[in-house]
Amino acid sequence: MAKSKNAITMPVATRTTTIKSIDCNSTLGFKGDKAAAQVLLTALNAEMAELQNTLYAEHKHKVLVVLQAMDTGGKDGVIRKVFSGINPQGVKVISFKAPTSVELDHDFLWRVHAAVPAKGDIVVFNRSHYEDVLITRVHKWIDDKTAAKRMRQINNFESMLAEEGTTILKFFLHISKDEQKIRLRSRLDDPTRAWKFNPLDLEERKYWDAYQAAFQDAISHTSTAHAPWYIVPANRKWVRDLAISTVIVEKLRSLKLKYPEPAEHLDAVEIED
């Protein structure tokens, strides 16, 4: 698919990129409306499905997508919208909950390493190893020295994955505090979504500024050439979905994926009646 003249522009975060400098309501240069974005997103979904099929068949590359956000940031929505129509055989979604006692007896990356993609796979982390330098830091379960050590270890870990053929794309879904309030209220008011409301989200909301600072530090220290962070304006869900789809499709294109040659010449194969 040729790149649309009305496409999204999604820059990589650098050490000097600040979350505050990114407008949560930005359309990232997209000139159309929500309807026009949906047309483009549908086309990207179709192309991603074909690229994923080739990725799976070629059995050479691995793709890891990391999603991080504040509560109600839209991680589940991204998984539904961005990966719509993708063959589930080649895509896995992993959610890291509070570590078990066994996991706590190991290093913090122990449980993560077992979940990274194998050849031919796309794996999506719905929350990730970054929780170990986010919630743990906000609640003072670790100190700044430990956080700095863990971020260095994350860089080394991701560097190793990249050297072993894993393409890593990390997305911070950037919403405003006002937008979070609207979404929490919407959950309460919708009987089909009220089950998603957790009173603990209101407690975590009190730490908004501390979380923003922790995200900023993590992004600044771990956005690298081999494992870049993207700060995605996410107040508009359609912009969020279009931006992430664009980045993933462009990266998959760059891998120059090819279907493998058949094991034998098939022109002489006959199928009996």
Side-chain angles (χ1 to χ4, degrees), residues 21-233:
S21 71
I22 307 298
D23 180 3
C24 300
N25 291 300
S26 172
T27 60
L28 297 171
F30 189 78
K31 304 302 182 183
D33 57 11
K34 183 177 179 180
Q38 183 57 53
V39 172
L40 183 53
L41 180 61
T42 299
L44 287 167
N45 285 152
E47 184 177 5
M48 192 186 302
E50 177 59 27
L51 288 165
Q52 181 273 327
N53 196 52
T54 314
L55 175 86
Y56 185 79
E58 188 178 36
H59 201 67
K60 176 181 177 182
H61 299 279
K62 319 161 192 175
V63 178
L64 174 61
V65 177
V66 174
L67 302 177
Q68 290 286 163
M70 298 292 290
D71 292 326
T72 75
K75 300 183 298 301
D76 292 343
V78 166
I79 292 167
R80 286 195 305 273
K81 295 288 188 177
V82 170
F83 297 97
S84 174
I86 304 298
N87 185 346
Q89 187 173 357
V91 179
K92 299 179 179 67
V93 178
I94 308 294
S95 298
F96 291 98
K97 306 298 184 181
T100 66
S101 59
V102 173
E103 290 167 342
L104 287 171
D105 282 342
H106 294 78
D107 66 89
F108 78 100
L109 290 170
W110 179 74
R111 64 176 181 162
V112 178
H113 202 162
V116 299
K119 291 178 181 179
D121 284 347
I122 297 175
V123 169
V124 182
F125 282 179
N126 183 351
R127 297 189 187 273
S128 68
H129 44 302
Y130 282 93
E131 291 298 311
D132 287 292
V133 293
L134 294 169
I135 188 171
T136 55
R137 201 172 186 188
V138 167
H139 288 282
K140 309 298 184 184
W141 300 334
I142 63 172
D143 57 20
D144 290 346
K145 183 178 179 180
T146 300
K149 179 182 70 174
R150 288 185 175 184
M151 286 187 283
R152 173 176 54 80
Q153 291 168 337
I154 286 173
N155 282 337
N156 292 338
F157 174 64
E158 292 177 346
S159 178
M160 181 272 293
L161 293 180
E163 288 178 0
E164 291 295 320
T166 302
T167 296
I168 305 170
L169 300 170
K170 302 179 296 194
F171 300 97
F172 171 58
L173 313 184
H174 181 34
I175 63 170
S176 66
K177 192 174 184 180
D178 286 344
E179 178 65 19
Q180 186 191 62
K181 182 179 180 179
I182 291 169
R183 294 183 184 185
L184 286 171
R185 184 71 258 173
S186 177
R187 284 183 182 179
L188 283 172
D189 294 341
D190 184 348
T192 68
R193 298 173 65 244
W195 64 271
K196 296 184 70 174
F197 182 81
N198 186 342
L200 291 178
D201 291 344
L202 300 182
E203 290 301 312
E204 291 299 294
R205 181 173 161 82
K206 296 175 182 178
Y207 295 94
W208 180 275
D209 291 341
Y211 272 109
Q212 295 294 300
F215 273 115
Q216 179 65 66
D217 202 37
I219 291 169
S220 295
H221 284 89
T222 64
S223 190
T224 61
H226 56 269
W229 273 105
Y230 296 86
I231 302 175
V232 183

